[in-house]
Amino acid sequence: IDKIFKDDAMEEKGERARMASFIGAMAVADLVKSTLGPKGMDKILQSTGRGHSVTVTNDGATILKSLHIDNPAAKVLVDISKVQDDEVGDGTTSVVVLAGELLREAEKLVASKIHPMTIIAGYRMAAECARDALLKRVIDNKENPEKFRSDLLKIAMTTLCSKILSQDKEHFAEMAVDAVFRLKGSTNLEAIQIIKKPGGSLRDSFLDEGFILDKKIGLGQPKRIENAKILVANTAMDTDKVKIYGARVRVDSMTKVAEIEGAEKEKMKDKVNKILAHGINCFVNRQLIYNFPEELFADAGVLAIEHADFEGIERLGLVTGGEIASTFDNPESVKLGHCKLIEEIMIGEDKLIHFSGVEMGQACSIVLRGASHHVLDEAERSLHDALCVLSQTVNDSRVLLGGGWPEMVMAKEVDELARKTAGKKSHAIEAFSRALVAIPTTISDNAGLDSAELVAQLRAEHHNEGCNAGIDVISGAVGDMEERGIYEAFKVKQAVLLSATEAAEMILRVDEIITCAPRRREDRM
Amino acid sequence: MALAFDEYGRPFIILREQDQKTRLKGIDAQKANIAAGKAVARILRSSLGPKGMDKMLQGPDGDVTITNDGATILEQMDVDNQIAKLMVELSRSQDYEIGDGTTGVVVVAGALLEQAERQLDRGIHPIRIAEGYEMASRVAVEHLERISQKFEFDADNFESLVQTCMTTLSSKIVNRCKRSLAEIAVKAVLAVADLERKDVNLDLIKVEGKVGGKLEDTELIYGILVDKDMSHPQMPKQIADANIAILTCPFEPPKPKTKHKVDIDTVEKFETLRKQEQQYFDEMVQKCKDVGATLVICQWGFDDEANHLLMHRNLPAVRWVGGVELELIAIATGGRIVPRFQELTPEKLGKAGLVREKSFGTTKERMLYIEHCANSKAVTIFIRGGNKMMIEETKRSIHDALCVARNLIRSNSIVYGGGAAEIACSLAVDAAADKYPGVEQYAIRAFAEALDSVPMALAENSGLQPIETLSAVKSQQIKENIPFYGIDCNDVGTNDMREQNVFETLIGKQQQILLATQVVKMILKIDDVISPSEF
């Protein structure tokens, strides 16, 4: 009668529960471990859905998002990597690897009979101390715009060097920094449009100052407009229905049908005339434009673009400074958008519409070119990471050196703290510093270098006050990170540190796992 | 057994299809029930106290919850056993009534059951045990009343409230920043409290969470937070001194509820209908503008055209706002919810000092802050945290803290935590036992022993020697006759709970003892369990 749960429910207690969650979390961490660092490898993900579509990626968040995991502790790690992606955009792999290492160390401590609560207390102290250590060494160049720009450029390059774009990282870093500077401090990445067009090579990708809409120009309409006045609209241009509920057409003869049809046409014509009364020469609508009104627009020499998606419209409104209109009765008070030139351009073999010389320089487009869709998708993800990091750094301009430097700085401080702390907590603090060192170790392991040798060298270097040494994976030696220009954003490192500690703490606190009976699905025959 | 004979010797059936049912009778039934109750209590025992561990629960759909809150654990673990369900109910009723101490109540009940089992083995009748427990619980509650202390606070001096909330929060995962969270909870409760009537309506406190940021970023907003953005991307993002029209009617042409048909059979009709429609939209927006509204909050959606008209007339609007939020906005801004445009008048508008839109992180997530409201009686606690589980757990912890603060405003008596109150009660009950002649005496002593299980579990979870620690504290209490000594869970170095500032509410403790006794009495009185057998 000891059974109190439902049939399929499971209960795991004490040591077993802890082991299950440690193993699950570490398995996930090991899975993404090999993608860490500039020489990290990629993973192929094949979806189980129809088409078995394939993704090739190096992005931790993307990999973890597509896993189907049953282990509850592993889910916690997937969750933190997702949040890291949303909040700062980069460091998604590092956060999982660090959390995994913290748990690996914790497992050893638990095995040597240290209570999980003691470990947590130690980890907390260590995390606090590590953060302070970083804060002491941050570099802030906000005052000096030129230097700040070069900092950003270096951060972008560091972020990109672990991705597929590493071959052309200077090119892409320039692009990303330019794009982010145009945002003028806002973190709204919506304003940066990324268009992917297969063909050409990655090097052919470019940043366009204007705005590119992936649409075609209607037949018989001008292909090039200078000094365009644009009306951005969201209105039905097919058949403008009567919206009063329950209204319907009921007639008793064919002539009446014709009459009503005429009236409908008249109504549409009215609408078009009203739109034309705004004195525009370009009309962009979110919804469809039927042939009849399109013809009317063509007659009036107005460029009409139909079916721009919602984001495209919003962005266009943002770029040209026009408002998104749905009614057209007061032409004098509707704000129109302006741009110097609209023309049709060709990228590869696709025709696109290009708006240049726009009023507000906030938005811009990045056109990515590449050999295949997989390359383009991965390039987009990498660029997105870089853009995220940059836009966050613009707001919080503190930067750090990269290449394992921050980890070593933290580890050193934490080690010092461990020596000063009395009681069992010091073991946990020591373990924390070991977990931190595991990151440069992994980076050099992934690059096929002798990690033990390099990390030992690095540690010795860091014994000197104010040293800038880190691991330069390209040359395979310890070097001055400042000279090599490897920088990282402080915000990313801080988020990695704090969320990894939080996740490890959460998993450590668990002493029992109760799995409910899975919900029975009705078998649909 | 279930077969009886009438006066003619014919058998008749009392229990239908008894061969398909399992049946437990007498002492076996009680033993089985006690075992089930104990099993539930054992699960929760390790979660008690500041050093208690968490449970990881995987729901039927694979979702993961990590929590330390007794009520949540029991609710989610989906038990099958009837008696176990009773224990779940027990924890839930403590949650509804008090909001805190949900783990403690189950641990006490488990201990009472364990003691009852021992008495049953001695051959004491279950009813006598139940009666003994009843008497003992009365003694304990009275004693609690005696050792309780009043403490004073007012709107400006709420340090003692914060201390009590911190005791509650210290057992949760959020104990890293318990100080700031406790302050937030107390300020929130004081903001909505009616100190005259000593009542707090917790519905006025909205707890909202958003993944991202740090726990430290959690903030208290004197106003409302709505997880929506402006209906048109180009509407202003910030409105000062807003007059808010709160509408529950859609910005769409009317839809009469009676069935009707509007037939269009001539061109003229088509034209007039078209004109009417245009006019209708215009009128709606005009109406809002006329009464002086500078922000429209609507429960329903807008038509594209209405949306643009609003934007055009410079009237920002928010659509698809939920009913509960709408009500809170109405309370906070002192506005009235208007169901029809015709009824819109300037008096019905709500007032807010500042309405602003704020975006978070790299994804396009925005929220609407409505602050400096006319009537600041509605507040929002906005929780940030590393991941979804963290936010959910913080929400639960904040809920507990809010409940504690509310209970203190209702009645400002406190007892000391850390097991001090339980030890004091145990001593009182033990002393009282000798006065009762009869078999109940044994049950009363058993009750006293059961109360010891709470400090025992606290000591055990904190890694102390349970028996050694408990007996030391007990003798200290008797020697100095001071009921403030408890278990030193945080290893501070003193057993004096006054110094450690570990308080709990009197009603919370009393409720725990009463509820646990009731459930145990109920379980003891069951002597026959009939359940359909597995098939």
Side-chain angles (χ1 to χ4, degrees), chain B residues 113-147:
Chain B
L113 285 173
E114 201 174 327
Q115 292 296 332
E117 192 179 19
R118 213 169 287 170
Q119 304 304 319
L120 283 175
D121 286 344
R122 282 183 170 170
I124 301 179
H125 193 270
I127 295 294
R128 304 300 283 271
I129 303 175
E131 266 162 26
Y133 278 1
E134 178 66 39
M135 291 173 198
S137 74
R138 233 175 295 141
V139 173
V141 168
E142 272 164 26
H143 187 71
L144 276 178
E145 188 94 54
R146 226 172 4 245
I147 61 169

Side-chain angles (χ1 to χ4, degrees), chain B residues 94-344:
Chain B
Q94 172 85 10
D95 194 27
Y96 286 158
E97 195 54 38
I98 306 296
D100 186 32
T102 50
T103 314
V105 71
V106 176
V107 172
V108 172
L112 286 175
L113 285 173
E114 201 174 327
Q115 292 296 332
E117 192 179 19
R118 213 169 287 170
Q119 304 304 319
L120 283 175
D121 286 344
R122 282 183 170 170
I124 301 179
H125 193 270
I127 295 294
R128 304 300 283 271
I129 303 175
E131 266 162 26
Y133 278 1
E134 178 66 39
M135 291 173 198
S137 74
R138 233 175 295 141
V139 173
V141 168
E142 272 164 26
H143 187 71
L144 276 178
E145 188 94 54
R146 226 172 4 245
I147 61 169
S148 74
Q149 293 193 334
K150 298 265 173 208
F151 73 5
E152 299 306 319
F153 61 88
D154 50 58
D156 301 315
N157 179 19
F158 47 79
E159 180 57 28
S160 45
L161 283 180
V162 175
Q163 293 288 355
T164 321
C165 285
M166 269 164 68
T167 309
T168 307
L169 290 176
S170 64
S171 68
K172 315 281 177 189
I173 194 164
V174 296
N175 64 5
R176 182 155 48 93
C177 38
K178 59 180 173 185
R179 173 84 212 178
S180 61
L181 286 182
E183 268 172 27
I184 286 175
V186 171
K187 277 183 196 156
V189 168
L190 283 177
V192 300
D194 186 346
L195 289 176
E196 298 280 289
R197 273 192 16 262
K198 296 201 166 189
D199 198 15
V200 184
N201 184 0
L202 283 188
D203 288 342
L204 294 177
I205 302 175
K206 200 175 152 216
V207 182
E208 188 82 42
K210 189 130 205 138
V211 176
K214 304 189 293 264
L215 202 54
E216 282 84 353
D217 298 337
T218 301
E219 57 179 338
L220 175 69
I221 298 160
Y222 289 98
I224 308 286
L225 195 67
V226 189
D227 196 356
K228 291 277 177 296
D229 50 1
M230 296 289 183
S231 63
H232 197 287
Q234 286 162 337
M235 283 175 180
K237 306 278 179 243
Q238 192 162 350
I239 307 155
D241 295 320
N243 291 329
I244 306 170
I246 305 161
L247 299 170
T248 52
C249 47
F251 268 87
E252 272 165 19
K255 289 179 182 164
K257 297 213 174 54
T258 45
K259 224 176 172 180
H260 72 292
K261 282 192 187 104
V262 183
D263 281 347
I264 302 172
D265 47 10
T266 61
V267 174
E268 289 77 51
K269 274 196 183 168
F270 185 82
E271 296 279 322
T272 44
L273 215 53
R274 201 181 116 197
K275 287 236 168 62
Q276 260 177 10
E277 190 188 288
Q278 267 176 357
Q279 233 173 3
Y280 191 83
F281 280 126
D282 234 21
E283 259 170 32
M284 281 192 297
V285 178
Q286 196 54 43
K287 189 82 202 171
C288 299
K289 202 76 189 166
D290 281 348
V291 294
T294 52
L295 173 69
V296 177
I297 290 178
C298 185
Q299 194 175 14
W300 300 97
F302 311 152
D303 199 88
D304 282 341
E305 277 170 36
N307 201 0
H308 177 246
L309 274 176
L310 285 167
M311 153 77 194
H312 197 77
R313 299 282 178 84
N314 208 2
L315 192 59
V318 187
R319 57 182 155 184
W320 301 121
V321 178
V324 183
E325 282 158 349
L326 212 62
E327 244 169 64
L328 276 176
I329 293 173
I331 294 172
T333 60
R336 294 266 295 278
I337 297 176
V338 182
R340 255 173 304 216
F341 285 101
Q342 288 78 13
E343 289 171 14
L344 207 58

Side-chain angles (χ1 to χ4, degrees), chain A residues 191-210:
Chain A
I192 301 174
Q193 185 192 20
I194 299 181
I195 295 175
K196 295 175 283 183
K197 286 282 164 206
S201 76
L202 279 172
R203 194 171 273 281
D204 296 335
S205 310
F206 60 94
L207 173 84
D208 197 280
E209 309 247 317

Side-chain angles (χ1 to χ4, degrees), chain A residues 1-7 9 11 13 18 21 69-73 75-76 79-80 83 85-89 115-117 124 131 187-190 234-235 240-251 256 259-260 263-264 266-267 270-271 274 286-287 310-311 314 317-318 321-330 333-334 384 388 391-392 494 498-499 502-503 505-519 521, chain B residues 24 32-33 35-37 39-40 42-43 46-47 50-64 66 68 73 76-81 84 171-176 211-216 232-234 253-256 260-267 270-271 273-274 276-278 281 303-309 311-313 319 359-366 384-390 393 460-463 534:
Chain A
I1 284 276
D2 276 351
K3 218 184 73 184
I4 50 168
F5 294 109
K6 290 213 171 122
D7 272 349
E11 190 192 2
K13 283 187 159 236
R18 209 166 282 134
S21 46
I69 292 175
D70 199 33
N71 188 301
K75 278 189 184 150
V76 176
D79 217 38
I80 56 166
V83 172
D85 195 28
D86 288 349
E87 268 305 289
V88 286
H115 195 267
M117 284 297 167
R124 271 187 191 168
R131 206 177 80 99
T187 53
N188 185 7
L189 293 180
E190 294 278 310
N234 176 16
T235 184
D240 207 355
K241 289 181 287 282
V242 174
K243 282 179 192 128
I244 292 174
Y245 181 71
R248 62 169 189 173
V249 178
R250 191 171 187 172
V251 288
K256 289 231 171 108
E259 272 171 31
I260 294 210
E264 250 177 23
E266 201 56 39
K267 185 181 172 194
D270 256 13
K271 196 167 184 180
K274 268 189 210 155
R286 186 172 84 82
Q287 299 174 24
F310 203 84
E311 277 165 19
E314 262 185 39
L318 198 71
E323 69 177 41
I324 301 172
S326 293
T327 54
F328 310 100
D329 289 329
N330 309 307
S333 60
V334 172
H384 173 256
C388 284
S391 68
Q392 295 290 337
Q494 176 182 287
L498 295 183
S499 21
E502 217 164 71
E505 183 181 317
M506 214 153 158
I507 293 171
L508 265 173
R509 282 176 69 105
V510 171
D511 77 334
E512 184 156 339
I513 303 177
I514 297 168
T515 315
C516 291
R519 200 183 294 285
R521 305 252 184 281
Chain B
L24 280 169
N33 291 342
V40 174
R42 207 164 46 229
I43 292 176
S46 66
S47 286
K51 293 277 170 79
M53 305 295 274
D54 288 4
K55 310 280 175 234
M56 193 184 270
L57 301 147
Q58 196 169 19
D61 298 320
D63 46 325
V64 178
I66 297 180
N68 178 296
I73 298 172
Q76 304 232 342
M77 74 186 186
D78 198 17
V79 291
D80 206 21
N81 186 292
S171 68
K172 315 281 177 189
I173 194 164
V174 296
N175 64 5
R176 182 155 48 93
V211 176
K214 304 189 293 264
L215 202 54
E216 282 84 353
H232 197 287
Q234 286 162 337
K255 289 179 182 164
H260 72 292
K261 282 192 187 104
V262 183
D263 281 347
I264 302 172
D265 47 10
T266 61
V267 174
F270 185 82
E271 296 279 322
L273 215 53
R274 201 181 116 197
Q276 260 177 10
E277 190 188 288
Q278 267 176 357
F281 280 126
D303 199 88
D304 282 341
E305 277 170 36
N307 201 0
H308 177 246
L309 274 176
M311 153 77 194
H312 197 77
R313 299 282 178 84
R319 57 182 155 184
S359 53
F360 297 99
T362 61
T363 45
K364 198 177 131 194
E365 294 212 52
R366 304 205 184 98
R384 307 297 313 273
N387 54 47
K388 206 164 74 232
M389 287 167 226
M390 194 73 187
E393 178 69 0
E460 218 172 293
N461 290 344
S462 314
E534 310 287 317

Side-chain angles (χ1 to χ4, degrees), chain A residues 56 209 288 439 488 495:
Chain A
V56 183
E209 309 247 317
L288 281 176
I439 289 193
E488 277 179 85

